[in-house]
Each structure stands twice: as C-alpha cells, then as structure tokens.
C-alpha cells in the first residue's frame, strides 16, 4: 500500500496522506469488548503480535480487517483511536511534534497492518499515524465498519491549523440548528473527517476532547434496533437515535466505557436532516 501527498492523484490501491486508515479500541476489559462487538457487528478476531505492546486482536468483518482491540497496559478510560495514513511514520511524527504534538505511545509495528504511533495534538485530542504495510487492508463504508469520524474539541481553530498544516486539508464550515461550529475537512475533492467545536458553557471538568467514530449499521437492522441490541448487551445510550446528514445515528458507550456512534446511512432523510440533537459534550 502506497501513501501519496494530496497534490498527487493517487493511483488505484493508494491513499492520500491524512486519510483515515485504521481504528483501534484500547480497553482494560478486552474480553467484554470482544464479545460486545462480535455480537453487535458479527466481528471475528485474529491475534497478532505488536512489536512494542504485546498482543492485539484484529477484528474482521466478512473476512476483511476493520479494527484492532488492545488491552490497556494499565487501568484507563476505554477509548477508540483513529489513525491517519502517512508514507513515513517517523518523519510525520517528527513533523507533528514540531507543530506542538506530543507522543503518547511510541512507534510500534503491528503485523499485517503497519508501523504506528499515537500522539496528542495541540487541541488536546489523541490521534494516531499509520504507515501501512504493502499487505494492508482496511474495510470502510459498510455495515460493521468505520463510516465517519469527528474530532470534538474546544480548541477548534488550533485543531484546524494543526491538521491542515500536517496533511494539507481544506475545509468547509457547516452550521446546524443548535449553532455548532462544524467543519468538514477534505483531501482533494473527498471529504475525510469533520471537526466539531465544543460550546464553552456546556463544558465541565469531566469533558475532554475526543474523536467520535461512527460505525455502520445494516439497513435491514436499522439504528434503533441496533441500539436496542447494544443496550441488551450492557451498552449505555448517551444520545438517543436522531436523523442527521449521515443517516440515522446514535451515540453510545460500550460495556467497557468507550464512546462510539452508530449510523445507518440508508435512513438519511430526504432533506439531509441535522445533527441538532447531538450533544458532543455528553458524558
């Protein structure tokens, strides 16, 4: 798998640098997480060796890799991480550090996936960089896979500047009925991510910048039914199902505490809906 800069037209099977290319769940209760996502999405797992951090479970959906699950080294809040593609992990890491990021998990190699590093950006949200191996595969845009990702932070302008300088994103602002500052980031003509600005009066000591990852729901199941099934297996609903531009969505915490969203794009309303019911600060 090759990764090319945004000013190049990527040939088939290549990525623009800055494209979401992997997701990883870190949790202190790996067994519960494994069972929950297997029940919700039908994920199966392969155990692979990480050069730095022991064993990972690579989740497969219909035989294709969609995520990894890793046991936390010490008790910590469970969370989903988003990784962005780079052609040179160490060089991109150095560039990110020069722009104000700090390394939280040193570079390591995950077999069949690539070389990765985790950083905290100046907007105080963690993100990953991944230099994919030639054999890298990552299914997206389907039920049980990553559909969309949003960076939720109070330091909106800082986040915009940092990631635009690092990857060359362009952006467009979109308003919502509740006046959220919502910016969509693009590589070339493709929308790849969004940034949501927290509203200061809604923030307290328990509110932290984070990525919200949207995982796809099959149309034959639908978001409301998927939420019901998730709750039956000990997930907690943080935002009830609502109609959005992405489709019918809901925000939950899995049984280990990790925040994520469900979305069924087949249920997107004809008028594109809104994200008015989504409170990104809800904990």
């Amino acid at each position: 798998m090759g990764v090319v800069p945004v000013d190049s037209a990527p040939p088939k099977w290549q990525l623009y640098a800055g494209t979401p290319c992997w997701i990883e769940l870190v949790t202190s209760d790996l067994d519960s997480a494994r069972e929950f996502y297997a029940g919700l999405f039908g994920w199966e797992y392969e155990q692979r060796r990480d050069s730095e951090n022991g064993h990972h479970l690579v989740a497969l959906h219909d035989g294709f890799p969609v995520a990894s699950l890793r046991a936390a080294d010490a008790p910590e809040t469970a969370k989903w991480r988003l990784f962005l593609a780079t052609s040179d992990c160490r060089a991109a890491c150095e560039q990110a550090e020069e722009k104000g990021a700090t390394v939280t998990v040193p570079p390591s190699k995950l077999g069949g996936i690539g070389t990765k590093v985790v950083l905290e950006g100046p907007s105080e949200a963690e993100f990953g960089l991944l230099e994919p191996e030639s054999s890298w595969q990552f299914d997206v845009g389907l039920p049980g896979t990553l559909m969309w990702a949003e960076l939720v932070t109070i330091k909106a302008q800082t986040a915009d500047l940092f990631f635009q300088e690092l990857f060359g994103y362009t952006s467009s602002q979109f308003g919502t009925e509740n006046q959220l500052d919502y910016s969509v980031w693009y590589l070339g003509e493709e929308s790849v991510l969004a940034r949501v600005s927290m509203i200061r009066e809604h923030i307290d000591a328990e509110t932290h910048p984070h990525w919200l990852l949207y995982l796809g729901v099959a149309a034959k199941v639908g978001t409301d039914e998927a939420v019901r099934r998730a709750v039956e297996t000990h997930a907690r609903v943080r935002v009830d199902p609502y109609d959005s531009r992405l489709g019918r969505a809901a925000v939950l915490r899995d049984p280990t505490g990790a925040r994520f969203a469900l979305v069924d794009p087949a249920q997107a309303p004809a008028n594109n809906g809104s994200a008015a019911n989504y409170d990104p600060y809800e904990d």
Side-chain angles (χ1 to χ4, degrees):
M1 169 57 60
V3 178
V4 297
V6 71
D7 57 356
S8 301
K12 190 176 183 181
W13 309 124
Q14 291 194 335
L15 295 171
Y16 281 139
T19 302
C21 65
W22 194 246
I23 58 175
E24 176 183 80
L25 175 68
V26 182
T27 175
S28 57
D29 190 349
L30 188 59
D31 289 340
S32 293
R34 177 178 56 197
E35 293 176 7
F36 172 76
Y37 290 102
L40 189 60
F41 297 124
W43 286 358
E44 299 178 338
Y45 302 96
E46 291 181 355
Q47 186 163 283
R48 298 187 188 178
R49 185 72 182 175
D50 184 294
S51 63
E52 296 291 337
N53 296 314
H55 292 287
H56 275 66
L57 294 176
V58 172
L60 307 175
H61 187 267
D62 291 336
F64 289 93
V66 296
S68 62
L69 282 63
R70 181 176 72 79
D73 297 328
E76 61 177 275
T77 302
K79 56 192 172 186
W80 277 101
R81 288 174 174 156
L82 177 71
F83 288 82
L84 306 174
T86 176
S87 60
D88 188 327
C89 186
R90 293 185 183 276
C93 181
E94 291 176 0
Q95 292 172 8
E97 289 181 290
E98 291 173 357
K99 299 179 188 302
T102 57
V103 174
T104 59
V105 181
S108 62
K109 188 171 184 179
L110 178 59
I113 304 300
T115 300
K116 61 188 184 71
V117 65
V118 181
L119 306 99
E120 182 178 291
S123 59
E124 300 180 358
E126 207 173 46
F127 71 100
L129 298 171
L130 176 69
E131 179 184 338
E133 290 189 359
S134 58
S135 60
W136 169 92
Q137 291 180 308
F138 180 47
D139 230 3
V140 296
L142 299 169
T145 75
L146 178 68
M147 299 289 292
W148 186 242
E150 295 171 346
L151 172 60
V152 183
T153 176
I154 192 172
K155 296 185 176 181
Q157 292 183 341
T158 299
D160 290 346
L161 181 62
F162 172 78
F163 283 101
Q164 287 169 10
E165 288 185 347
L166 191 61
F167 292 116
Y169 297 144
T170 57
S171 65
S172 294
Q173 294 290 127
F174 293 87
T176 65
E177 292 177 14
N178 59 354
Q179 303 303 310
L180 283 179
D181 175 5
Y182 190 93
S183 180
V184 176
W185 294 344
Y186 296 83
L187 287 172
E189 297 180 355
E190 296 295 324
S191 58
V192 291
L193 296 168
R195 186 270 300 143
V196 182
S197 178
M198 294 178 174
I199 299 173
R200 289 183 181 274
E201 51 265 34
H202 291 183
I203 297 172
D204 58 32
E206 300 301 316
T207 306
H208 303 287
H210 59 274
W211 288 94
L212 182 66
L213 306 187
Y214 289 75
L215 303 178
V217 174
K220 64 182 180 182
V221 176
T223 297
D224 294 70
E225 173 61 18
V227 168
R228 186 191 68 80
R229 296 179 184 181
V231 170
E232 284 186 346
T233 51
H234 309 296
R236 292 178 291 145
V237 178
R238 307 313 304 157
V239 181
D240 289 327
Y242 63 93
D243 293 326
S244 77
R245 292 178 176 84
L246 300 174
R248 186 125 175 110
V251 182
L252 304 94
R253 286 190 183 272
D254 71 21
T256 75
R259 180 195 288 106
F260 72 104
L262 293 171
V263 63
D264 175 10
Q267 295 184 357
N271 64 358
N272 288 329
S274 75
N277 295 326
Y278 170 44
D279 177 0
Y281 333 108
E282 178 65 68
D283 282 296

